[in-house]
Amino acid sequence: MSIVFHASRKDLVRSIARDAFNAGELNLMSFAERIQELYFTLIPPASQDTNLRQPCDDATGERFEADRRHNRQIVERWVKGRVAEFPDDMEEPWVMALPDHWRDKALTDLSARYGLLPARIPSGGHTAAWTGDIMQAMGDMLQDFAPIAEDGVI
């Protein structure tokens, strides 16, 4: 059995964010704000382990801006690899905050470690009907394709 080493999950998601930043597709302030919002929404208070600040409702404009800059600086250090620590509970908000293309890449790379592909759950919860629609569309496509493939030459 051959052993294949790969980057840790935290290094993987951080490198994807770094690639997005280097490609000019990641604004650090917006990214930091989205991470902060998701982190404090998704992670129960008793489990939170981060230096990010959650701006409070009664914060003055000055305090609010200081908290935003503080969070941006922490996120920038994580993105650029300037600090080694990265809380385990940060992965989900981090990945969810990435721009769409980069989020899809992160989900694909993380899933591939287990030999899986990420797949979105159909909205509306009508999985059986949705599956039937796909099967119907596939059947229609194959019917249209049959005459093309009939002679065995494409």
Side-chain angles (χ1 to χ4, degrees):
M1 175 180 183
S2 64
I3 298 175
V4 178
F5 294 103
H6 53 252
S8 67
R9 295 177 69 87
K10 70 179 181 179
D11 289 342
L12 173 68
V13 298
R14 288 169 68 180
S15 72
I16 290 171
R18 189 175 313 112
D19 291 346
F21 175 74
N22 290 337
E25 297 178 30
L26 182 75
N27 175 287
L28 286 175
M29 184 60 85
S30 299
F31 187 51
E33 288 173 354
R34 185 72 177 131
I35 288 171
Q36 174 265 316
E37 175 187 323
L38 288 164
Y39 184 84
F40 290 107
T41 300
L42 297 172
I43 309 302
S47 301
Q48 293 173 0
D49 179 28
T50 182
N51 291 333
L52 292 178
R53 294 181 187 159
Q54 182 177 17
C56 54
D57 293 334
D58 62 348
T60 64
E62 205 172 283
R63 170 68 191 268
F64 182 80
E65 285 304 316
D67 288 347
R68 286 180 71 223
R69 286 191 306 273
H70 170 85
N71 291 344
R72 182 197 179 279
Q73 184 178 41
I74 290 172
V75 169
E76 181 179 11
R77 288 175 179 165
W78 285 333
V79 168
K80 294 184 177 180
R82 293 186 184 148
V83 292
E85 58 86 20
F86 186 80
D88 293 334
D89 60 358
M90 190 60 66
E91 180 185 310
E92 187 175 359
W94 184 273
V95 170
M96 291 174 70
L98 288 167
D100 292 345
H101 163 74
W102 298 98
R103 181 183 326 112
D104 290 347
K105 177 172 178 28
L107 293 171
T108 299
D109 290 355
L110 289 167
S111 298
R113 292 169 175 238
Y114 298 98
L116 303 171
L117 290 172
R120 298 203 185 283
I121 296 173
S123 61
H126 304 291
T127 306
W130 179 80
T131 303
D133 291 344
I134 288 179
M135 293 175 79
Q136 179 66 47
M138 186 65 158
D140 293 344
M141 188 273 307
L142 288 173
Q143 261 186 328
D144 292 343
F145 183 70
I148 298 168
E150 193 170 324
D151 63 3
V153 178
I154 296 180

